[in-house]
Amino acid sequence: MAHRAILTPIARRVALPALRKSSTTANASINHFRRVVPTAAPKSNRASAAKSSGFTADSYPEIIRDPRFAKLTKKHVTYFKQLLGKESAIIDGVTTDDKASEIEPYNLDWMRKYKGQCTLVLKPGSTEEVSKILKYCNENLLAVVPQGGNTGLVGGSVPVFDEIVISTARMNQIRFFDELSGVLVADSGVILEAADQYLAERGYIFPLDLGAKGSCHIGGNVSTNAGGLRLLRYGSLHGTVLGIEAVLPDGTILEDLSRLRKNNTGYDLKQLFIGAEGTVGIITAVSIHCPQRSKAINVAFLGVESYEKLQLAFREAKTQLGEILSAFELMDSRSQDIFHKVKGNKRPLEGEYPFYCLIETSGSNSEHDSEKLEKFLEDVMTKELVTDGVVAQDETQLRSLWAQREGITETIGHWGGVYKYDVSIPIKDMYQLVDDVRTRLDEAGLIGETDEFPVVDVVGYGHMGDSNLHLNIAVRRYEKVVENVLEPYVYEWISHKDGSISAEHGLGLAKKKYIGYSRGDTTITMMKQIKNLYDPKGIMNPYKYI
Amino acid sequence: MAHRAILTPIARRVALPALRKSSTTANASINHFRRVVPTAAPKSNRASAAKSSGFTADSYPEIIRDPRFAKLTKKHVTYFKQLLGKESAIIDGVTTDDKASEIEPYNLDWMRKYKGQCTLVLKPGSTEEVSKILKYCNENLLAVVPQGGNTGLVGGSVPVFDEIVISTARMNQIRFFDELSGVLVADSGVILEAADQYLAERGYIFPLDLGAKGSCHIGGNVSTNAGGLRLLRYGSLHGTVLGIEAVLPDGTILEDLSRLRKNNTGYDLKQLFIGAEGTVGIITAVSIHCPQRSKAINVAFLGVESYEKLQLAFREAKTQLGEILSAFELMDSRSQDIFHKVKGNKRPLEGEYPFYCLIETSGSNSEHDSEKLEKFLEDVMTKELVTDGVVAQDETQLRSLWAQREGITETIGHWGGVYKYDVSIPIKDMYQLVDDVRTRLDEAGLIGETDEFPVVDVVGYGHMGDSNLHLNIAVRRYEKVVENVLEPYVYEWISHKDGSISAEHGLGLAKKKYIGYSRGDTTITMMKQIKNLYDPKGIMNPYKYI
């Protein structure tokens, strides 16, 4: 049971009841949420309830297949079969007709929003094989899409037309680990959770955590510069990745797998590949600095009366929890309403609040951390910044509280679909976007409780500690009229506040055309120069990014 | 007085005496060491005892002035005077003869090893002025050297021939600070210590600290990807810098001053400027994420019997001190011998040891931190990993202990000069380089106590927590015979161990030709492509870097 006694503010002397027993029952299903995505190669039975909308090429009629690209023939397939040898390394839908269902998981994204028409999947087993594949594709003008765990949310990891999928699934070995420095070198196809498990056994932690950890590949994480739950504490991959091995479109292998934290010898080229979404090459291995794993983890779940108070509570958490603060997550009342409506379980707190936050601490000394957290909670309740709260007393409760935050992603899709905006906005203005979007949809008469309204609700949650908001619009169906009310309005709003239209999900296909709202013309021009420099034939993940 | 009682290991029950009173006297001079470099614009009265070796062009006869570059004329100077207006914004040695001494500090590096022949110094006051200057220089083929505090150690910030120095000294305003997120936006010419002081008043800390903080500019820090003392805790600038404003050689202003920790909208171009040493543009402003300033700082100074034991102590420090560990610095016995020989003060510890280490903790709760540190010290002494040690009891003692580490840089130059190698090597092999170099110089008959020997001693110290060793060879005079014994031997040794020939100092002029020991041909080719892309006329900081 989560324990509340310690949260009683001295000034208020309100006796806080213990968590209801029934919430333990809820944990069974809550635990299931933690890994929304299956822990194997892509499967077609996705968890999301969003409906498949047919081929991407149909929903984006303005995108035309680049006629420069060759169409796959038997000759090409013969070359790849000869190169890769093993039957399991290739799914050939070019010369055979019975491979459609086997290929589908590689064509369809996790949200079932984007669907390509690829007929050939290659699964190289080594960097050299990737090199030979790309060299051949480049020479023969065959477009490709690099794919890791295919858990992206912007349509970046699936083809648009008949691009060849190059999967990193078979490159999944840990190459090196140094227990003294915490430096890990691993193939790009290692699943994030597997890497973290390997590190856990050695007292270390992967400096990145996200909902899809059971499926996503670390190469994909680096390629998309994934942010996730630990960024607040361990910083971005631009700081923790020490080196990469990558293959350029012409087959050149860039071997830059430094195991050193400091290496000031020339331009830091690896940085261009971090977040490049496979548009300039394929990352085949990663070297990363991993921090010490914390022995003690505490999680508190708090109810807050206003966004202003939440900001003040965040400032106090930074000051008082300092080095042990590892997460400060925001959830608005609507996100929690939906979570409980869909899941049917009880809430961690007795009352209902406009805002909730989840605070996690990670440290090396359990007693010290608990003392700091208790003091902090007493302080913010005495100051009336926080009205109610619970602290997890064991691992089950900890997971249960995290599920209140992590489970939103799944439950929000309950009615049919979700318009997802993963944005970054200076904290003080951040939540205002949710209210403004709700008002706008309401004024357009699109939001309501019955089937005639396309929109169910507008919710906001996210990594408040990183200024990262997930604005989600739950819909019963995707309708152009909704989209027109949302866009470009949302992007203009964000641009006006100097925010970013993509905080951590990337550009992919979904946000390619909106980059101008977050980047200036000069920057975009320079980006295009980089793309042309490294991929002059444009075969790498075409139609996307910039 | 530093306090030792807590260090007495229970198992050994050795009574450790308190620090001698005389060491307090030493603090007066020790405190002086903390800021080796003066806190103003470059001056010619450098602290280093190393002798000036004349013009760089004479010591590097193989470098020829690029004949494509124009020579400065009265016409050029007239343009710049018209542009910059203020008399204080330009030092004109082109049309006047009496400016040599005023210009010298801009021509001479901090170590007095590199001396250029520049006759014109420009000090723009705004990004627009920098833009107009570069546009004009690019059109007229006038080579330039961007200069911040001119505290670099590889000759990167001074001209080789008659390149124009563009100083950022007049661009020194804090533009923005957000107390909630800790994001600071400041002009590139802000002195690091000034920025940190500004942040200290607001409860934050600049995520970088180094000996030259009283002079160096934050733009220079970012341009050289400075590492320093806090990297172990706060990571590299590639992770903490959120955005930059920079001017390209053709005058284009790249405005990418994001104030967000997460912004996945395209290639992270700013990364190319971090550590580019002014070869692709001039950074005019920086946006950086600053962490909470720790309320409690503890420093321990320990004596260790072997490098093996030191490694084990480091592993324990990571495990037991975890999130509060902010520095783990190595000093060998010779570096401390020299420090005390030159300074004449007493040592912090009674006995002498082959190795010393300085451990710093920074945290939000003084009691908790002290408890962790005491437990750790008791543990490592019980395990006999550490033989003796002291813990600072107040700010003066803390500075005094830090001076044992930071003062090495100054005292090592006492006999005339120093060959400095700032390298990164996997920890287990790191110190072996010092022994091997000493043996090699000894076998060559170059090292000894009397004047006939050019080499005084070989010492090793550095940021052990970051795998970063400073190998220093103290000499009575610079002699080619010494250099020939050292190079390329040192670089080959490092390359053999997959190390980096420049951990944090950069390439500059000193290491330009050795980059191949740390980077592969593919990487170097790609770097040259980047240079050609952004600076096709090659006017930016020529003759250096790659």
Side-chain angles (χ1 to χ4, degrees):
Chain A
M1 294 303 304
H3 174 67
R4 310 182 137 210
I6 56 160
L7 292 178
T8 314
I10 292 161
R12 289 168 61 237
R13 293 274 174 215
V14 178
L16 299 173
L19 248 193
R20 288 168 298 281
K21 188 135 193 138
S22 52
S23 70
T24 308
T25 321
N27 290 341
S29 63
I30 280 167
N31 280 336
H32 169 69
F33 296 171
R34 262 188 84 80
R35 308 283 167 248
V36 177
V37 184
T39 57
K43 290 191 185 73
S44 57
N45 55 336
R46 304 309 160 95
S48 169
K51 289 167 194 154
S52 170
S53 60
F55 291 123
T56 304
D58 296 331
S59 24
Y60 287 76
E62 70 276 18
I63 304 177
I64 307 295
R65 184 184 181 283
D66 190 330
R68 291 177 308 144
F69 296 142
K71 298 226 175 195
L72 277 163
T73 64
K74 196 178 167 184
K75 194 191 90 191
H76 299 134
V77 176
T78 306
Y79 174 82
F80 291 126
K81 282 188 174 166
Q82 205 165 15
L83 172 65
L84 298 178
K86 284 192 185 177
E87 194 134 319
S88 61
I90 186 162
I91 308 176
D92 168 21
V94 179
T95 65
T96 54
D97 289 333
D98 59 347
K99 293 293 191 297
S101 67
E102 214 180 315
I103 292 179
E104 195 191 64
Y106 299 89
N107 265 324
L108 192 62
D109 81 308
W110 183 77
M111 293 192 306
R112 306 174 69 86
K113 262 192 179 169
Y114 302 93
K115 191 174 180 179
Q117 301 165 50
C118 149
T119 53
L120 184 68
V121 177
L122 303 178
K123 302 181 193 177
S126 69
T127 305
E128 290 65 33
E129 286 183 358
V130 174
S131 167
K132 284 176 183 157
I133 289 170
L134 282 187
K135 188 172 189 295
Y136 184 83
C137 289
N138 201 48
E139 283 168 0
N140 290 279
L141 279 167
L142 292 164
V144 304
V145 175
Q147 190 177 92
N150 193 14
T151 60
L153 296 171
V154 289
S157 55
V158 289
V160 177
F161 298 101
D162 56 345
E163 301 89 85
I164 299 171
V165 167
I166 303 179
S167 164
T168 50
R170 280 182 62 235
M171 300 175 65
N172 55 9
Q173 299 299 305
I174 304 275
R175 296 191 189 179
F176 168 86
F177 181 66
D178 177 15
E179 298 225 9
L180 195 53
S181 64
V183 174
L184 175 83
V185 181
D187 286 353
S188 56
V190 170
I191 288 173
L192 176 57
E193 195 167 49
D196 192 53
Q197 191 54 45
Y198 176 94
L199 291 163
E201 289 160 13
R202 287 151 183 87
Y204 285 88
I205 191 169
F206 203 91
L208 170 76
D209 189 16
L210 65 162
K213 74 188 289 182
S215 292
C216 62
H217 295 187
I218 60 169
N221 296 147
V222 173
S223 288
T224 54
N225 188 30
L229 303 167
R230 288 178 189 157
L231 191 135
L232 175 72
R233 175 67 166 272
Y234 303 121
S236 90
L237 292 170
H238 286 289
T240 51
V241 170
L242 303 179
I244 57 155
E245 179 190 83
V247 181
L248 302 185
D250 67 359
T252 301
I253 298 172
L254 172 66
E255 204 282 309
D256 184 23
L257 276 179
S258 171
R259 297 169 185 182
L260 308 163
R261 286 195 85 176
K262 292 177 168 178
N263 184 10
N264 276 353
T265 51
Y267 305 116
D268 198 358
L269 292 176
K270 69 169 181 285
Q271 302 288 354
L272 288 177
F273 292 80
I274 301 174
E277 303 184 26
T279 59
V280 286
I282 298 183
I283 295 177
T284 48
V286 168
S287 169
I288 189 161
H289 180 262
C290 303
Q292 198 66 31
R293 200 173 196 93
S294 296
K295 292 171 216 153
I297 311 276
N298 286 308
V299 169
F301 186 90
L302 312 174
V304 181
E305 296 288 0
S306 72
Y307 189 65
E308 287 62 40
K309 288 189 174 185
L310 191 57
Q311 291 178 66
L312 293 170
F314 175 54
R315 186 71 190 91
E316 289 299 336
K318 281 180 66 165
T319 309
Q320 296 182 40
L321 300 174
E323 67 281 0
I324 63 166
L325 183 65
S326 54
F328 194 104
E329 299 283 312
L330 153 80
M331 293 145 283
D332 67 4
S333 61
R334 285 179 166 89
S335 73
Q336 294 299 288
D337 290 348
I338 288 180
F339 179 76
H340 293 286
K341 201 180 282 179
V342 175
K343 287 287 162 189
N345 57 2
K346 294 254 172 88
R347 293 163 184 265
L349 303 182
E350 291 275 318
E352 293 183 21
Y353 300 90
F355 294 95
Y356 300 89
C357 77
L358 182 151
I359 293 178
E360 186 192 76
T361 67
S362 316
S364 56
N365 184 307
S366 174
E367 262 176 56
H368 292 170
D369 292 4
S370 296
E371 197 185 314
K372 284 188 187 96
L373 183 60
E374 281 175 32
K375 261 193 188 168
F376 160 76
L377 293 172
E378 200 173 301
D379 180 67
V380 289
M381 292 190 80
T382 305
K383 288 176 179 160
E384 298 189 350
L385 301 179
V386 164
T387 312
D388 194 8
V390 288
V391 176
Q393 299 298 305
D394 57 34
E395 176 69 16
T396 309
Q397 289 181 2
L398 188 147
R399 282 168 183 261
S400 149
L401 293 181
W402 260 116
Q404 297 289 129
R405 162 65 184 83
E406 290 196 284
I408 299 169
T409 315
E410 186 192 1
T411 53
I412 197 81
H414 178 73
W415 289 267
V418 190
Y419 288 97
K420 294 176 92 71
Y421 297 93
D422 156 50
V423 304
S424 195
I425 301 164
I427 294 178
K428 78 174 164 49
D429 298 318
M430 195 171 86
Y431 192 76
Q432 189 59 45
L433 175 62
V434 182
D435 285 337
D436 287 0
V437 166
R438 191 183 296 119
T439 304
R440 195 172 155 86
L441 285 163
D442 197 26
E443 284 171 1
L446 296 170
I447 191 166
E449 290 188 8
T450 52
D451 264 1
E452 68 196 283
F453 299 97
V455 179
V456 180
D457 213 341
V458 179
V459 311
Y461 60 99
H463 316 296
M464 181 158 170
D466 310 325
S467 281
N468 183 184
L469 175 77
H470 296 310
L471 165 70
N472 279 202
I473 295 100
V475 293
R476 297 183 174 87
R477 54 198 171 268
Y478 293 116
E479 279 188 15
K480 205 71 192 168
V481 61
V482 176
E483 214 169 299
N484 290 342
V485 169
L486 292 172
E487 296 176 16
Y489 173 79
V490 168
Y491 299 123
E492 283 169 356
W493 197 102
I494 294 162
S495 179
H496 184 65
K497 300 284 184 189
D498 292 328
S500 168
I501 61 150
S502 186
E504 55 180 15
H505 293 174
L507 294 168
L509 186 67
K511 299 195 178 175
K512 174 192 161 82
K513 62 180 173 180
Y514 303 113
I515 183 173
Y517 288 101
S518 287
R519 300 285 193 182
D521 289 345
T522 303
T523 313
I524 297 172
T525 303
M526 288 176 72
M527 287 180 187
K528 288 185 172 161
Q529 288 173 333
I530 293 287
K531 169 75 178 173
N532 291 336
L533 178 63
Y534 293 131
D535 182 25
K537 296 187 179 179
I539 65 161
M540 301 300 303
N541 216 358
Y543 319 111
K544 299 167 192 158
Y545 203 62
I546 51 164
Chain B
M1 294 304 304
H3 175 64
R4 311 183 136 209
I6 56 159
L7 293 178
T8 314
I10 292 159
R12 289 169 60 238
R13 294 276 174 212
V14 178
L16 300 173
L19 248 193
R20 289 168 299 279
K21 188 133 191 138
S22 53
S23 69
T24 307
T25 321
N27 291 341
S29 63
I30 280 168
N31 281 335
H32 169 69
F33 295 172
R34 265 188 81 81
R35 308 284 168 246
V36 177
V37 183
T39 55
K43 291 192 185 74
S44 57
N45 55 335
R46 305 308 160 97
S48 170
K51 288 167 194 154
S52 170
S53 60
F55 291 122
T56 304
D58 297 331
S59 24
Y60 287 76
E62 69 277 17
I63 305 177
I64 307 295
R65 185 185 181 283
D66 191 329
R68 290 177 309 143
F69 295 141
K71 298 224 175 195
L72 276 163
T73 64
K74 197 178 166 182
K75 193 191 91 191
H76 299 133
V77 175
T78 304
Y79 174 83
F80 292 126
K81 282 188 175 166
Q82 205 165 15
L83 172 65
L84 298 178
K86 283 191 186 178
E87 195 135 317
S88 60
I90 185 162
I91 308 176
D92 168 20
V94 180
T95 66
T96 55
D97 289 333
D98 59 347
K99 292 293 191 297
S101 66
E102 214 181 316
I103 292 179
E104 196 190 63
Y106 298 90
N107 265 324
L108 192 62
D109 81 308
W110 183 77
M111 294 193 306
R112 305 175 69 86
K113 261 191 179 170
Y114 302 93
K115 191 174 180 178
Q117 300 165 50
C118 148
T119 53
L120 184 68
V121 177
L122 304 178
K123 302 182 192 175
S126 69
T127 306
E128 290 65 34
E129 285 183 359
V130 174
S131 167
K132 284 176 183 158
I133 289 170
L134 282 186
K135 188 171 188 294
Y136 184 83
C137 289
N138 201 47
E139 282 168 359
N140 291 277
L141 280 167
L142 292 164
V144 304
V145 175
Q147 191 177 93
N150 193 14
T151 60
L153 296 170
V154 288
S157 55
V158 290
V160 177
F161 298 101
D162 56 345
E163 301 89 86
I164 299 170
V165 167
I166 303 179
S167 165
T168 50
R170 281 182 61 235
M171 300 173 65
N172 55 10
Q173 299 300 305
I174 303 274
R175 295 190 188 179
F176 168 87
F177 181 67
D178 177 16
E179 299 225 9
L180 196 53
S181 64
V183 174
L184 175 83
V185 181
D187 287 352
S188 56
V190 170
I191 288 173
L192 176 57
E193 195 167 49
D196 191 54
Q197 191 54 45
Y198 176 93
L199 291 163
E201 288 159 14
R202 287 151 183 89
Y204 284 89
I205 191 169
F206 203 92
L208 170 76
D209 189 16
L210 64 162
K213 75 187 290 182
S215 292
C216 62
H217 294 186
I218 59 169
N221 296 146
V222 173
S223 288
T224 55
N225 188 30
L229 304 167
R230 288 177 190 159
L231 191 134
L232 175 72
R233 176 67 166 272
Y234 302 121
S236 90
L237 292 171
H238 286 290
T240 51
V241 170
L242 304 179
I244 57 155
E245 179 189 83
V247 181
L248 303 184
D250 66 0
T252 301
I253 297 171
L254 172 66
E255 206 282 311
D256 184 23
L257 276 178
S258 171
R259 297 169 186 183
L260 308 163
R261 286 194 86 178
K262 292 177 168 179
N263 184 9
N264 275 353
T265 51
Y267 305 117
D268 198 358
L269 293 175
K270 69 169 181 286
Q271 302 287 354
L272 288 177
F273 293 79
I274 301 174
E277 302 183 26
T279 59
V280 286
I282 298 183
I283 295 177
T284 49
V286 168
S287 169
I288 189 161
H289 180 261
C290 303
Q292 197 66 30
R293 199 173 197 94
S294 295
K295 292 172 217 153
I297 310 277
N298 286 308
V299 169
F301 186 90
L302 312 174
V304 181
E305 295 289 359
S306 72
Y307 188 65
E308 286 63 39
K309 288 189 174 185
L310 191 57
Q311 291 178 67
L312 293 170
F314 175 53
R315 186 72 190 91
E316 289 299 336
K318 281 179 66 166
T319 310
Q320 296 182 41
L321 300 173
E323 67 281 1
I324 63 166
L325 183 65
S326 54
F328 194 104
E329 299 284 312
L330 153 79
M331 293 144 284
D332 68 4
S333 61
R334 284 179 166 88
S335 72
Q336 294 299 287
D337 290 348
I338 287 180
F339 180 75
H340 293 286
K341 202 181 282 180
V342 175
K343 287 288 161 188
N345 57 2
K346 294 253 173 90
R347 293 162 185 266
L349 303 182
E350 291 275 318
E352 293 184 22
Y353 300 90
F355 294 95
Y356 300 89
C357 76
L358 182 151
I359 294 178
E360 186 191 78
T361 67
S362 316
S364 56
N365 184 308
S366 175
E367 261 176 57
H368 291 170
D369 292 4
S370 296
E371 198 186 313
K372 284 188 187 95
L373 183 60
E374 281 174 33
K375 263 193 187 167
F376 160 75
L377 293 172
E378 200 175 299
D379 180 68
V380 289
M381 293 190 81
T382 305
K383 289 175 178 158
E384 297 190 351
L385 301 179
V386 164
T387 312
D388 194 8
V390 287
V391 176
Q393 298 298 306
D394 57 35
E395 176 69 15
T396 309
Q397 289 181 2
L398 189 147
R399 283 169 182 259
S400 150
L401 293 181
W402 259 117
Q404 297 289 129
R405 162 65 185 83
E406 290 197 284
I408 299 169
T409 315
E410 186 192 2
T411 53
I412 197 80
H414 178 74
W415 289 267
V418 190
Y419 288 97
K420 293 176 93 72
Y421 298 92
D422 156 51
V423 304
S424 195
I425 301 164
I427 293 179
K428 77 174 166 46
D429 298 318
M430 196 172 87
Y431 193 76
Q432 189 59 44
L433 175 63
V434 183
D435 286 337
D436 287 0
V437 166
R438 191 184 295 120
T439 304
R440 194 172 156 86
L441 285 163
D442 197 26
E443 284 171 1
L446 295 170
I447 190 166
E449 290 188 7
T450 52
D451 264 1
E452 68 195 285
F453 299 97
V455 179
V456 179
D457 213 341
V458 178
V459 312
Y461 59 99
H463 316 294
M464 181 157 171
D466 310 325
S467 280
N468 183 184
L469 175 77
H470 295 311
L471 165 70
N472 279 201
I473 295 100
V475 294
R476 296 184 174 87
R477 54 199 171 268
Y478 293 116
E479 278 187 16
K480 206 71 192 168
V481 61
V482 176
E483 214 169 299
N484 290 342
V485 169
L486 292 172
E487 296 176 16
Y489 173 79
V490 169
Y491 298 123
E492 283 168 356
W493 197 102
I494 294 163
S495 179
H496 184 65
K497 300 284 184 188
D498 291 329
S500 168
I501 61 150
S502 186
E504 55 180 15
H505 293 174
L507 294 169
L509 187 66
K511 299 194 178 176
K512 174 191 161 83
K513 62 180 174 181
Y514 302 113
I515 183 173
Y517 287 102
S518 288
R519 299 286 192 181
D521 289 345
T522 303
T523 314
I524 297 171
T525 303
M526 288 176 72
M527 287 181 187
K528 287 185 173 164
Q529 288 173 333
I530 293 287
K531 169 75 177 174
N532 291 337
L533 178 63
Y534 292 131
D535 181 26
K537 296 186 178 177
I539 65 160
M540 301 301 303
N541 216 0
Y543 318 112
K544 300 166 192 159
Y545 202 62
I546 52 164

